[in-house]
Amino acid sequence: MERSSLVLPASHFRKKTHTAQFSTKPFDRRSRMSKPGVVAAISEDLVKTLRLTTTTGDRKSEEEEKAAVKFKVRAVVTVRNKSKEDFKETLAKHLDAFADKIGRNIALELISTEIDPIGPVHFPCNSWVQSQKDHPEKRIFFTNQSSELSRPKLGGKKIPYPRRCRTGRHSTETDKEAESRVEKPLPMYVPRDEQFEETKQDTFAAGRLKAVLHHLVPSLKASILAEDFADFGEIDALYKEGLLLKLGFQDEIFNKFPLPKVVVNTLQESSKGLLKYDTPKILSKDKNAWLRDDEFARQAIAGINPVNIERVKTFPPVSNLDPEIYGPQHSALTSDHIVGHLDGMSVQQALEENRLYMLDYHDIYLPFLDRINALDGRKAYATRTIFFMTRLGTLKPVAIELSLPSHGKNHRSKRVVTPPVDATSNWVWQLAKAHVSSNDAGVHQLVTDTCVLGTATERMHPIFKLLDPHMRYTLEINALARQSLISADGVIEGGFTAGSYGMEMSAAAYKSSWRFDMEGLPADLVRRGVAVPDATQPHGIKLLIEDYPYANDGLLLWSAIQTWVRTYVGRYYPNPNLIQTDSELQSWYSESINVGHADLRDAEWWPELNTVDDLVSIITTIIWLASAQHAALNFGQYPYGGYVPNRPPLMRRLIPDESDPEYASFISDPERFYFSSMPSLLQTSKFMAVVDTLSTHSPDEEYIGERQQPSIWTGDAEIVDAFYGFAAEIGRIEKEIEKRNSDPDRRNRCGAGVLPYELLVPSSEPGVTCRGVPNSVSI
């Protein structure tokens, strides 16, 4: 198909498919002798009809128009004759030839979702096509190119993954086992009782409008603006001047936007608020704090992903990947890299005194790096970062290992970067930390997200009543996430390092490391080696990093939840026999394992459900994940990640060494190289808009210790009193956290330019507050 001059009006709010119908004039039959009996029919004189199928909401309409442009198509239809014909078939062939000469032949209708595809397009039929008389329905054949939006199916032995609720969607035309997409603005199906209430819907809709406005404008201007930031001042301008001033827009241009009038009016009347980003909290006390090594380390225990740091038990670290596929298991780290940064200690002493810690993203990233780095504008390493705990209880990074897949003995696949000693090594160190933060941001979105047991329970069952507030809106937000966040070509794929391989990476982590029995906070801390069992301690464990804000505050909430659950369960199940004979309870737990986690149902680590302690542990873990754990991981996304250099969601360049062609440009202008490695203006704007929405509390949020109709949600007066006691304990915890944030001895949450740790403060006002623990995963 030759390129045409046809230009169609773009639409931001409706989807169009482009249909070109060609009725051919008599075929020029030209024999193709490559195969006996194969004939190619070629026509170049075409009459073209352009049909626009427009979908707006639930309404579909078609318009036909003759295109007053030259549009040339060469269609080659390959057919195969029978090797033997009877008299009737021979006569039919001659009649068909006569029909060809008077113009009654084959009609082709080409339907495309894009204009002017480049190169030949092949439609393999491999099927008998009858005449219209014999088969009046249209036959549909697809090109030999698989859809760009197709992804491997998650779930099963090959790619295990948790199940989710049914959606009622039809299968795709090309794969009966794959569901068709539901394109916005059409909603994913969610049972009515699980959908957002009006206040929540309004808040979420406002957030989506803001996201549209924030990334629409740079999209329109991307072709005439340099994509990279020139310096830090240009990033600061997003908060000081706003996006309109940054891009040089004038008010009158609003009227030229292809947007509904209500949106244009909103832009004109409220542009200062809608298109100006709020200053992220990370910049509020010290705008340069994020550059410091101590702040980089502090965020590993008090930032938005404080659940991956682990104690180094063996040095150098060892990979669990297959060495036959991924190369040597031992890292390139040596004692010489870190011994000079251990305050006079040897590496062995530091190990014995529990002073070495690590962020290890080697095994989760390395199997995907070849594919990730082949993507346009994506470059990543598999990183390991070693931290040393000082005598003051703070952490400092002492080495960063950057790994690439091994491609032979002479290929340098591992590189170790240590704290800087001069100007050049300072820029290399900053780039290495950026790659670590990018790894961390991807794991945060794809791996550390909560995985809650949330199958249906009988509404009058006492366990349903206990769990009900902790499942509020979860089905709806999960449906929205599948449609926009983790979908093919969605937010995660477009804005994070892993791109189209993100969900496969998530599935790999689920297969290798997810265990429900380790999802509770004390068990998780012990598993990562940052705590050890200690029956003398209030929570049964002793933290090895004593000033660990996430763990310190989290244990307070865990204990309060556990006490409340134990009181509630003890009321309805005073002895274990009642638990074992409760068929509804046992069916619920069985379904959670055997259906919800079917691919891991045979794992030996699933907890039993036979005793009161079993039930208390399971329910406490579910409530912890849905409330406090989710809050700790979610509501700091804009306050910390809204300043992209602090937590770049993706990187676009690797770090050059002296043998690389890019090294000269890096040395000549390191700041320019740095920003060319960071996300572009467009990528940054989209990411900021999304995390702003994800970090926002709704006005109808219910926080831990609250629930609708607190005095009458159950008819059991004893349980109502116990719940008020739980709410009072949550209030005491909030005061304790505020006290801790003012304690100068807690240097990881108090000090000059240090942000207080408030992500587990139970209450919050609406909006982006970097605090507040809602009952459920609702954003």
Side-chain angles (χ1 to χ4, degrees):
M1 182 179 292
E2 297 182 6
R3 294 185 64 83
S4 77
S5 58
L6 178 65
V7 178
L8 296 175
S11 173
H12 293 278
F13 295 95
R14 56 184 184 177
K15 180 183 177 184
K16 295 186 177 180
T17 57
H18 311 293
T19 302
Q21 190 173 50
F22 304 96
S23 300
T24 65
K25 290 187 177 180
F27 282 147
D28 172 15
R29 287 178 177 259
R30 305 175 190 177
S31 177
R32 295 292 185 265
M33 302 306 297
S34 59
K35 290 184 179 180
V38 175
V39 178
I42 302 174
S43 178
E44 296 179 0
D45 299 322
L46 307 174
V47 177
K48 182 179 70 64
T49 300
L50 177 67
R51 181 183 303 140
L52 298 182
T53 302
T54 304
T55 302
T56 307
D58 295 327
R59 300 176 59 189
K60 180 181 290 187
S61 62
E62 290 189 353
E63 303 171 2
E64 289 192 4
E65 60 182 50
K66 290 291 180 73
V69 295
K70 293 182 179 179
F71 196 88
K72 187 178 291 184
V73 170
R74 176 182 294 262
V76 180
V77 182
T78 305
V79 297
R80 177 170 299 184
N81 293 327
K82 291 182 66 175
S83 58
K84 293 182 180 180
E85 297 176 345
D86 58 23
F87 175 77
K88 185 177 180 180
E89 290 169 334
T90 302
L91 179 61
K93 183 174 71 172
H94 286 291
L95 290 174
D96 180 61
F98 176 74
D100 287 347
K101 291 183 178 180
I102 63 174
R104 300 186 59 174
N105 39 50
I106 299 173
L108 303 177
E109 189 174 47
L110 305 181
I111 301 176
S112 176
T113 57
E114 59 182 272
I115 303 174
D116 296 339
I118 300 173
V121 182
H122 297 276
F123 296 82
C125 300
N126 299 320
S127 174
W128 291 103
V129 180
Q130 287 79 19
S131 68
Q132 189 174 23
K133 177 183 176 182
D134 297 322
H135 188 82
E137 298 297 323
K138 293 181 180 180
R139 293 294 305 277
I140 301 174
F141 297 99
F142 296 92
T143 70
N144 61 351
Q145 297 293 325
S146 60
S147 169
E148 293 182 359
L149 300 181
S150 66
R151 299 289 182 269
K153 291 188 288 290
L154 303 184
K157 291 183 178 180
K158 185 178 180 181
I159 311 179
Y161 210 67
R163 302 304 191 263
R164 46 102 179 113
C165 294
R166 295 176 180 176
T167 64
R169 287 182 280 159
H170 296 295
S171 61
T172 64
E173 294 283 352
T174 55
D175 186 348
K176 297 302 181 184
E177 295 184 4
E179 288 182 322
S180 57
R181 288 166 62 92
V182 178
E183 302 291 353
K184 293 176 286 187
L186 298 178
M188 286 273 202
Y189 169 74
V190 175
R192 183 63 187 90
D193 288 350
E194 308 297 335
Q195 293 176 14
F196 288 166
E197 295 177 15
E198 189 174 2
T199 302
K200 177 71 173 181
Q201 185 62 49
D202 290 345
T203 302
F204 200 81
R208 282 194 296 187
L209 174 61
K210 184 185 290 187
V212 168
L213 297 177
H214 278 164
H215 79 248
L216 170 65
V217 177
S219 294
L220 295 175
K221 300 292 287 185
S223 61
I224 61 174
L225 282 179
E227 285 212 352
D228 298 339
F229 290 101
D231 52 39
F232 290 104
E234 287 199 353
I235 299 179
D236 294 342
L238 293 175
Y239 317 112
K240 295 178 180 178
E241 302 172 15
L243 203 55
L244 285 179
L245 295 178
K246 169 79 183 85
L247 297 176
F249 266 72
Q250 303 297 323
D251 288 342
E252 59 267 19
I253 203 168
F254 284 122
N255 294 322
K256 300 180 182 179
F257 280 6
L259 303 174
K261 188 172 181 61
V262 63
V263 177
V264 174
N265 291 340
T266 303
L267 276 168
Q268 289 175 313
E269 295 172 9
S270 308
S271 60
K272 290 183 179 179
L274 282 171
L275 290 176
K276 186 175 179 180
Y277 291 96
D278 295 329
T279 300
K281 193 172 183 180
I282 186 64
L283 304 178
S284 62
K285 298 190 72 173
D286 181 352
K287 64 174 295 185
N288 296 316
W290 67 275
L291 281 166
R292 299 196 315 262
D293 286 357
D294 63 288
E295 176 61 21
F296 172 75
R298 189 191 72 86
Q299 289 186 33
I301 55 176
I304 61 172
N305 190 25
V307 298
N308 281 288
I309 191 164
E310 59 186 285
R311 180 164 54 89
V312 177
K313 300 173 184 177
T314 301
F315 190 89
V318 178
S319 169
N320 291 319
L321 297 175
D322 185 346
E324 295 295 323
I325 301 175
Y326 301 107
Q329 291 180 310
H330 286 280
S331 81
L333 288 159
T334 67
S335 296
D336 290 342
H337 287 123
I338 68 172
V339 70
H341 305 282
L342 305 184
D343 295 352
M345 300 178 70
S346 69
V347 173
Q348 187 59 36
Q349 284 178 305
L351 287 170
E352 292 173 355
E353 295 188 20
N354 302 319
R355 304 281 286 277
L356 290 180
Y357 295 86
M358 173 174 60
L359 286 177
D360 188 355
Y361 298 134
H362 179 276
D363 286 7
I364 185 62
Y365 273 94
L366 195 70
F368 297 91
L369 279 187
D370 276 335
R371 287 177 284 172
I372 291 173
N373 289 340
L375 296 172
D376 185 34
R378 306 289 170 94
K379 290 292 181 284
Y381 298 97
T383 66
R384 286 190 182 104
T385 307
I386 305 297
F387 299 93
F388 175 70
M389 186 170 67
T390 69
R391 299 191 184 281
L392 295 176
T394 58
L395 298 177
K396 66 177 182 180
V398 296
I400 295 172
E401 181 184 34
L402 307 170
S403 295
L404 294 170
S406 178
H407 296 295
K409 294 182 179 180
N410 297 325
H411 180 256
R412 185 185 179 191
S413 61
K414 298 180 185 294
R415 176 180 182 180
V416 176
V417 180
T418 54
V421 295
D422 56 24
T424 300
S425 59
N426 180 67
W427 280 105
V428 170
W429 181 246
Q430 295 300 336
L431 284 166
K433 289 195 297 181
H435 275 281
V436 172
S437 296
S438 179
N439 268 195
D440 188 74
V443 169
H444 171 252
Q445 290 291 340
L446 296 165
V447 178
T448 59
D449 197 6
T450 56
C451 197
V452 181
L453 304 182
T455 53
T457 55
E458 170 57 46
R459 288 187 172 272
M460 294 309 294
H461 194 282
I463 296 302
F464 169 82
K465 287 180 170 292
L466 176 60
L467 288 177
D468 183 37
H470 305 290
M471 300 299 165
R472 185 185 186 219
Y473 294 152
T474 298
L475 289 183
E476 173 87 346
I477 200 63
N478 283 349
L480 290 168
R482 291 199 305 276
Q483 188 174 35
S484 301
L485 201 65
I486 62 174
S487 58
D489 202 31
V491 171
I492 297 294
E493 287 196 2
F496 287 84
T497 293
S500 55
Y501 306 107
M503 292 308 294
E504 288 183 71
M505 183 183 293
S506 178
Y510 173 72
K511 179 181 181 180
S512 65
S513 60
W514 187 84
R515 290 180 52 163
F516 181 73
D517 64 327
M518 295 293 173
E519 289 293 294
L521 180 58
D524 174 60
L525 295 171
V526 172
R527 173 176 61 172
R528 292 189 280 120
V530 295
V532 293
D534 187 341
T536 66
Q537 298 295 315
H539 312 291
I541 61 171
K542 177 183 178 182
L543 289 173
L544 299 180
I545 305 176
E546 293 184 6
D547 184 12
Y548 186 173
Y550 160 77
N552 297 139
D553 297 355
L555 286 169
L556 294 178
L557 289 172
W558 170 272
S559 182
I561 294 168
Q562 186 181 53
T563 299
W564 156 237
V565 171
R566 187 173 297 281
T567 300
Y568 187 95
V569 168
R571 174 68 170 169
Y572 294 101
Y573 298 97
N575 66 72
N577 183 60
L578 294 173
I579 291 175
Q580 296 163 16
T581 58
D582 187 332
S583 59
E584 291 178 346
L585 179 66
Q586 294 293 335
S587 295
W588 165 77
Y589 188 54
S590 176
E591 183 182 349
S592 298
I593 297 171
N594 294 303
V595 179
H597 294 273
D599 302 327
L600 300 181
R601 62 178 177 266
D602 295 327
E604 297 180 355
W605 43 255
W606 283 104
E608 298 287 337
L609 180 52
N610 295 319
T611 68
V612 172
D613 285 345
D614 292 341
L615 182 56
V616 169
S617 176
I618 291 167
I619 299 300
T620 300
T621 299
I622 292 173
I623 294 176
W624 161 259
L625 292 174
S627 58
Q629 172 84 329
H630 175 70
L633 297 174
N634 185 75
F635 292 102
Q637 291 190 78
Y638 187 82
Y640 280 89
Y643 187 68
V644 166
N646 180 55
R647 283 181 64 80
L650 61 85
M651 296 292 285
R652 294 187 289 155
R653 301 178 82 168
L654 298 176
I655 305 172
D657 59 26
E658 295 180 5
S659 63
D660 293 325
E662 292 183 319
Y663 191 74
S665 62
F666 163 66
I667 291 296
S668 64
D669 195 341
E671 185 177 38
R672 182 177 180 181
F673 186 92
Y674 179 87
F675 282 108
S676 71
S677 301
M678 289 282 163
S680 67
L681 167 62
L682 179 59
Q683 290 167 329
T684 296
S685 180
K686 287 182 177 181
F687 174 76
M688 290 168 65
V690 169
V691 295
D692 178 63
T693 299
L694 294 176
S695 303
T696 300
H697 286 295
S698 170
D700 73 336
E701 203 91 84
E702 290 180 10
Y703 297 95
I704 190 81
E706 300 176 349
R707 64 181 302 157
Q708 295 178 353
Q709 302 173 320
S711 62
I712 59 172
W713 64 274
T714 177
D716 190 327
E718 184 175 323
I719 291 299
V720 170
D721 288 342
F723 180 77
Y724 280 124
F726 171 59
E729 178 61 20
I730 295 298
R732 286 190 288 271
I733 289 173
E734 181 159 329
K735 292 179 180 178
E736 173 61 24
I737 293 174
E738 292 172 354
K739 179 181 176 182
R740 291 175 175 182
N741 284 330
S742 301
D743 184 352
D745 291 333
R746 297 178 181 266
R747 291 176 171 82
N748 292 317
R749 64 197 305 162
C750 181
V754 176
L755 293 182
Y757 186 72
E758 298 180 313
L759 285 167
L760 289 175
V761 172
S763 70
S764 175
E765 296 296 320
V768 180
T769 63
C770 201
R771 59 178 286 164
V773 180
N775 275 323
S776 62
V777 179
S778 60
I779 191 66

